[in-house]
Amino acid sequence: MGYYANRAAVELADKAFRKWHYLAPVCAGAAAFGISQLLIRIPILNQILPNFEWYLTLPYTSPILYGLFLAFTAGLFEETARRIGFGILGNRYRGFGDGIAFGIGHGGLEVLYVLWMVIQQVLKGFPVSPLGLAVTLLERAGAMGFHIGASVMVLYGVCKKQKRWLFLAILLHTLLDLCAVLLTNLWLTEAIVLIFGAGFLAWAVQKRKTWPDNEKLGGKHL
């Protein structure tokens, strides 16, 4: 009797785990963005660095270097947070689907943050045109594709025990943000973000074919 009760309990727990499996990487992805950007990087940029003269004068003395600084720190903080997030999740979350879910959580919170800033502008009386809002949403769609691809890239490096995938993610993140910071043509910037995001997403989908056999399906490699 005890055997069957224990077996039923194990099967029930297994079904519950599989049903809610992707909730953990989604939440971890959101936490990676929230901690790395909202709690660490942005406060440093807005509250600590303005106390230093070199930082205040950098946009005027060397705008390219300033743009590179902003882009690199974004890539470094966010991609490192992804790597730490996957490390905390552990071996149960090494599947291809876990990388996708992590990216959705990461990019999803960023979308909410951007929309919150837009709402704040509206409440303060700044005009926000329908076209401007549409462009913002279009950019976020491209950024979401990038975050999903970057998450898959970092997780692939974790599975393969190859650090170069993390470094590549930091480099590509830096290049994307550098374009967004330095380019003055809005439509060109949005086009680059969309192309970059679509390319990264396509890479991620293609990478599923070469994912380690026992890790193709998140939650199936217990």
Side-chain angles (χ1 to χ4, degrees):
M1 184 70 177
Y3 167 78
Y4 292 107
N6 290 335
R7 182 176 179 179
V10 170
E11 290 179 355
L12 182 62
D14 182 65
K15 289 181 180 179
F17 173 78
R18 291 174 185 274
K19 181 178 180 179
W20 299 102
H21 173 84
Y22 291 114
L23 181 61
V26 167
C27 292
F33 175 79
I35 294 173
S36 65
Q37 282 283 25
L38 305 184
L39 298 183
I40 300 179
R41 179 177 174 269
I42 292 178
I44 289 175
L45 294 178
N46 293 341
Q47 300 174 20
I48 297 178
L49 291 182
N51 295 314
F52 298 92
E53 185 177 353
W54 66 267
Y55 181 74
L56 294 176
T57 59
L58 190 60
Y60 308 101
T61 58
S62 182
I64 294 179
L65 184 59
Y66 177 69
L68 180 60
F69 175 78
L70 293 180
F72 175 70
T73 54
L76 179 64
F77 277 67
E78 289 192 52
E79 301 312 322
T80 301
R82 284 190 228 274
R83 176 59 185 87
I84 294 173
F86 285 124
I88 293 174
L89 284 173
N91 292 331
R92 286 192 172 189
Y93 298 92
R94 293 289 184 264
F96 174 81
D98 298 314
I100 298 292
F102 193 101
I104 291 174
H106 190 120
L109 184 59
E110 186 180 54
V111 169
L112 293 178
Y113 174 67
V114 171
L115 290 178
W116 177 80
M117 290 194 298
V118 172
I119 292 173
Q120 292 299 307
Q121 288 183 328
V122 173
L123 293 177
K124 291 178 180 179
F126 293 101
V128 177
S129 67
L131 178 60
L133 182 59
V135 170
T136 299
L137 294 176
L138 196 62
E139 179 191 21
R140 288 303 92 201
M144 177 66 81
F146 170 80
H147 284 304
I148 292 174
S151 296
V152 171
M153 177 175 287
V154 172
L155 180 57
Y156 187 77
V158 172
C159 294
K160 290 291 189 179
K161 295 181 174 59
Q162 297 172 342
K163 294 181 180 179
R164 67 172 181 265
W165 294 103
L166 172 61
F167 297 144
L168 180 59
I170 293 174
L171 174 61
L172 293 175
H173 197 144
T174 300
L175 290 176
L176 178 60
D177 281 11
L178 187 61
C179 291
V181 171
L182 296 182
L183 292 179
T184 57
N185 187 303
L186 177 63
W187 296 108
L188 179 59
T189 302
E190 302 307 322
I192 290 176
V193 172
L194 279 174
I195 293 172
F196 218 99
F200 236 74
L201 190 58
W203 175 88
V205 172
Q206 176 272 139
K207 209 63 184 175
R208 190 185 192 283
K209 300 176 182 178
T210 59
W211 207 262
D213 289 340
N214 64 329
E215 295 166 344
K216 280 185 178 179
L217 298 176
K220 300 293 187 181
H221 48 283
L222 305 180

